[in-house]
Amino acid sequence: MSVVHYENFPVASVLLPKRLRRPIEAIYRFARGADDIADEGDASDAERLQALAVYGAELERIERGQRPAAPAFNDLAEVIAERRLPLQLFHDLLAAFAQDVVKKRYADYTELLDYCRRSANPVGRLLVHLADRASDENLHRSDCICTALQLINFWQDIAIDWKKDRIYLPQTDLARFGIDEAQIADQHWSAEWAALLDFQTDRTRALMLEGAPLVHQLPGRMGWEIRLTVQGGLRILEKIRRVRGDVHRHRPLLGPTDWLRMGSRTLFMYDRTL
């Protein structure tokens, strides 16, 4: 399984300390497996929810100190016990994946943020716990980064999500900028569409920058890993802005020159200048 497949999970790369790769990969396998149940294949909604319930039952066994029924959860159980990770964060992930099965529209930004709180933020919080840096301020900044990463994924994948009958752009924002679902279906670019995506990317960029000082609180190579993650998100936002939100025809991708630029930017991330 490719570790880079899960967009909100910092890559288990050589930048990460060796002692953290096993726990991070165990958490990743749990998150990726549950996400795929909710999102991939042709199973019915009922079948997806039933399969996610199996994951929930395994978490309950782990919480009671019992051995998982499925051997695939053994590594996760050991990591949770060894690192004393909060089990609620895993339950939050499952709740978000189950919501993805049944909920296809979001009324407003507040509702969307609540989804991100469970779909993305637990990943960052688990990493902060693994690094033994789980202060209130660090957890808040982690939430900002992870929510921003989730939103960036939504903005770059508007066309992909439409094919799954999902729209993550808040309904209140669509109405404010005069956009209807027919325009999304037709992949029609307009000045109003550009203004809508400019609004979303500006708001998301501000959220990412609010969280970015976290990189100075994380030790060693993990701090550098998160620097690169932050810069990757900011670079995608730049690319969306450059095409004025026309992500239907110009879905942003990171190429070799982008990675060089991101790498150089990580060297100049200060507390006030990012």
Side-chain angles (χ1 to χ4, degrees):
M1 184 183 293
S2 169
V3 181
V4 297
H5 183 48
Y6 190 48
E7 65 275 0
N8 292 311
F9 215 106
V11 214
S13 73
V14 293
L15 287 178
L16 287 175
K18 187 175 181 180
R19 64 183 177 83
L20 294 182
R21 291 179 198 168
R22 174 177 168 266
I24 286 175
E25 288 173 357
I27 297 166
Y28 166 81
R29 284 192 295 271
F30 171 86
R32 181 71 265 172
D35 196 13
D36 282 347
I37 288 171
D39 211 36
E40 304 295 335
D42 54 4
S44 68
D45 287 355
E47 290 170 332
R48 295 179 192 277
L49 293 174
Q50 185 177 12
L52 288 172
V54 172
Y55 272 58
E58 291 290 11
L59 288 181
E60 291 171 2
R61 291 180 65 85
I62 292 171
E63 195 165 12
R64 293 194 298 266
Q66 299 173 345
R67 188 173 183 83
F73 289 86
N74 287 342
D75 278 352
L76 181 68
E78 291 175 5
V79 165
I80 289 172
E82 291 168 3
R83 302 285 179 161
R84 299 182 180 179
L85 298 177
L87 267 159
Q88 184 58 47
L89 297 175
F90 295 92
H91 286 293
D92 288 345
L93 285 170
L94 287 185
F97 299 146
Q99 180 171 310
D100 250 347
V101 175
V102 298
K103 188 173 179 63
K104 311 296 184 181
R105 304 291 188 274
Y106 289 83
D108 52 32
Y109 188 58
T110 299
E111 193 172 68
L112 187 62
L113 289 181
D114 181 66
Y115 170 75
C116 295
R117 177 184 63 81
R118 290 171 287 117
S119 71
N121 296 0
V123 171
R125 285 182 168 242
L126 287 167
L127 292 177
V128 173
H129 278 283
L130 286 174
D132 295 323
R133 295 294 192 276
S135 68
D136 289 344
E137 184 176 45
N138 287 345
L139 291 172
H140 169 71
R141 287 173 171 171
S142 172
D143 289 346
C144 290
I145 291 172
C146 290
T147 291
L149 289 171
Q150 179 74 87
L151 295 174
I152 291 165
N153 184 249
F154 291 156
W155 311 151
Q156 72 177 0
D157 281 351
I158 290 171
I160 293 173
D161 289 327
W162 171 257
K163 293 177 181 177
K164 301 174 183 177
D165 190 33
R166 290 180 185 153
I167 298 177
Y168 291 103
L169 287 161
Q171 297 294 299
T172 52
D173 293 344
L174 292 174
R176 173 184 172 187
F177 288 91
I179 303 296
D180 58 25
E181 293 193 11
Q183 184 168 341
I184 300 175
D186 294 340
Q187 302 185 4
H188 175 66
W189 184 91
S190 65
E192 292 78 13
W193 179 263
L196 170 62
L197 266 293
D198 284 350
F199 173 71
Q200 302 298 351
T201 54
D202 285 348
R203 181 161 61 179
T204 304
R205 184 176 187 276
L207 192 61
M208 181 70 85
L209 293 180
E210 183 178 346
L214 175 67
V215 303
H216 304 291
Q217 304 302 317
L218 297 177
R221 289 185 289 176
M222 178 174 276
W224 287 101
E225 179 80 19
I226 305 306
R227 285 175 187 240
L228 197 58
T229 301
V230 168
Q231 291 300 333
L234 292 173
R235 185 62 178 154
I236 291 289
L237 290 174
E238 290 175 8
K239 285 175 169 279
I240 295 174
R241 191 64 181 253
R242 182 176 298 168
V243 299
R244 296 303 314 281
D246 193 4
V247 293
H248 293 100
R249 296 171 182 79
H250 306 284
R251 183 179 183 273
L253 297 172
L254 297 176
T257 57
D258 295 307
W259 285 98
L260 288 173
R261 182 173 303 196
M262 289 153 48
S264 66
R265 288 177 175 178
T266 63
L267 301 174
F268 300 99
M269 290 180 70
Y270 304 109
D271 286 327
R272 298 182 181 274
T273 308
L274 298 166

